[in-house]
Amino acid sequence: MRDCPDAHRTGKPWEHDALGALAARLTDPRFPCVFARTAWRAGAVRIAFCDDAGGEAAYAALLDYTAFVQCTPVNDRLLVPLCLVVRTPDAAGAKGQHAHAWRLLAELHRRDPAPWPATVPVDTDHPAWSYCFNGVQLFVNMSSHAHVQLRSRNLGPWLTLVINPRENFDVVAGAATSHGRAVRLRIRERVKAYNGSELPPSLGFHGEAGNREWSQYQLDEPAHPEIGR
């Protein structure tokens, strides 16, 4: 796993291409997530290239990342996301890439070394549910090269899972404070401008009635309907 490496430090052509595409997006001042852009400039983005379509590389990276989260004060890791760049088949469109992402998350869950946190519901329909691994609640952003309308969810030629502790969002943009709601509103307005389209209706706030956290991991264009739950 690398911390925001330069392109010349990667060893494989596909990693070089993926990193270049990721850098192009996160250095674009129009990119809507200002936190991601700040993390990139600071060299704080952790990147794991998964050449085996996920599997062992993803497991090792997520285990290492969640161990880091557990021993690091929240304010010292607000701008330290993990990017899993997964080399999926070239022909996989958004629907296929999303399905692969869910299979990967299911496999990581199956191998989870820690019990599911007692404070987190196991029912994905519960508004307080979130994905957990190694005892850490996480938010998973699934980005696919097949997204055309949702440009903010296109980070390059490969499936990319951007993973943050869910707690981070409570600190910087939580629903409990007017400041947090304002921050999230500004980011969502930037998303609308960057994508040139309205926001997907599945976007919400964790814990609020009617919210389904998992549906925000995978955002869908009209041509890419969601796969279920």
Side-chain angles (χ1 to χ4, degrees):
M1 184 161 60
R2 303 178 174 94
D3 290 344
C4 196
D6 296 324
H8 69 272
R9 291 171 57 193
T10 62
K12 299 178 181 178
W14 81 271
E15 294 178 1
H16 181 280
D17 293 343
L19 184 61
L22 187 59
R25 285 152 176 82
L26 297 185
T27 56
D28 182 350
R30 298 170 299 170
F31 190 78
C33 184
V34 294
F35 300 110
R37 290 177 52 227
T38 300
W40 186 267
R41 287 197 304 269
V45 179
R46 294 188 169 201
I47 301 176
F49 294 106
C50 305
D51 205 358
D52 58 350
E56 292 302 322
Y59 179 80
L62 192 56
L63 191 62
D64 180 74
Y65 181 68
T66 50
F68 158 76
V69 169
Q70 290 170 329
C71 67
T72 305
V74 62
N75 288 333
D76 293 336
R77 53 173 165 80
L78 286 176
L79 298 176
V80 187
L82 170 64
C83 286
L84 299 179
V85 184
V86 185
R87 192 181 188 188
T88 52
D90 294 345
K95 186 175 181 179
Q97 292 213 336
H98 289 159
H100 183 91
W102 287 115
R103 288 194 298 270
L104 178 58
L105 290 178
E107 174 62 16
L108 292 171
H109 170 64
R110 186 186 68 80
R111 299 179 60 188
D112 192 344
W116 191 264
T119 57
V120 180
V122 296
D123 181 2
T124 56
D125 267 342
H126 197 290
W129 178 91
S130 67
Y131 185 78
C132 299
F133 183 85
N134 201 20
V136 179
Q137 295 186 56
L138 301 169
F139 184 89
V140 183
N141 171 313
M142 299 178 182
S143 292
S144 164
H145 69 81
H147 278 303
V148 176
Q149 184 176 336
L150 295 178
R151 295 174 58 230
S152 58
R153 288 294 181 101
N154 184 332
L155 295 179
W158 303 108
L159 171 67
T160 303
L161 304 185
V162 183
I163 300 174
N164 282 280
R166 199 200 57 73
E167 180 185 27
N168 287 12
F169 297 94
D170 290 340
V171 174
V172 301
T177 67
S178 58
H179 172 75
R181 286 185 172 271
V183 169
R184 195 169 299 202
L185 177 61
R186 286 197 298 271
I187 291 176
R188 290 179 177 177
E189 288 300 316
R190 288 176 58 88
V191 170
K192 287 173 59 177
Y194 185 77
N195 292 343
S197 62
E198 291 299 313
L199 296 172
S202 56
L203 290 177
F205 283 92
H206 180 265
E208 290 192 337
N211 182 68
R212 299 296 178 268
E213 194 75 352
W214 62 266
S215 69
Q216 300 181 67
Y217 296 0
Q218 168 194 320
L219 297 183
D220 300 286
E221 300 183 16
H224 307 140
E226 66 183 33
I227 61 173
R229 76 171 192 174

